[in-house]
Amino acid sequence: HNGVKSIFESLQTSNFYMMRIGIGRPEQKEQVANYVLSKFSLNELPVIEDVLNKIAIDLEKIIISSVV
């Protein structure tokens, strides 16, 4: 993935934490760009909120373990 590659190059290291969120795939390969860039549906918003809350908890754990 070019975005991750760019981060590696900018930081000049691969030694950092990274969290990824999967979004699934569109039914047709040609629809990937529109699918990835589209807004979340009303049905998806509660799922996103839950995932972001879990990420916040994990991020807090990472920060605390890095300080200690």
Side-chain angles (χ1 to χ4, degrees), residues 1-18:
H1 188 274
N2 289 333
V4 175
K5 181 180 176 185
S6 175
I7 294 169
F8 290 158
E9 291 171 358
S10 294
L11 296 176
Q12 297 181 349
T13 182
S14 61
N15 188 19
F16 58 87
Y17 292 102
M18 181 171 48

Side-chain angles (χ1 to χ4, degrees), residues 2-41:
N2 289 333
V4 175
K5 181 180 176 185
S6 175
I7 294 169
F8 290 158
E9 291 171 358
S10 294
L11 296 176
Q12 297 181 349
T13 182
S14 61
N15 188 19
F16 58 87
Y17 292 102
M18 181 171 48
M19 293 185 188
R20 296 189 234 183
I21 301 173
I23 61 165
R25 297 178 183 268
E27 292 182 21
Q28 296 178 2
K29 191 172 184 175
E30 299 80 29
Q31 299 174 339
V32 172
N34 287 336
Y35 183 82
V36 171
L37 298 174
S38 66
K39 293 183 179 185
F40 294 111
S41 71

Side-chain angles (χ1 to χ4, degrees), residues 35-62:
Y35 183 82
V36 171
L37 298 174
S38 66
K39 293 183 179 185
F40 294 111
S41 71
L42 291 177
N43 293 336
E44 293 169 323
L45 289 178
V47 175
I48 296 301
E49 184 176 351
D50 185 49
V51 168
L52 292 176
N53 286 330
K54 289 177 180 177
I55 287 173
I57 291 167
D58 289 342
L59 185 57
E60 183 177 2
K61 290 176 185 177
I62 289 168

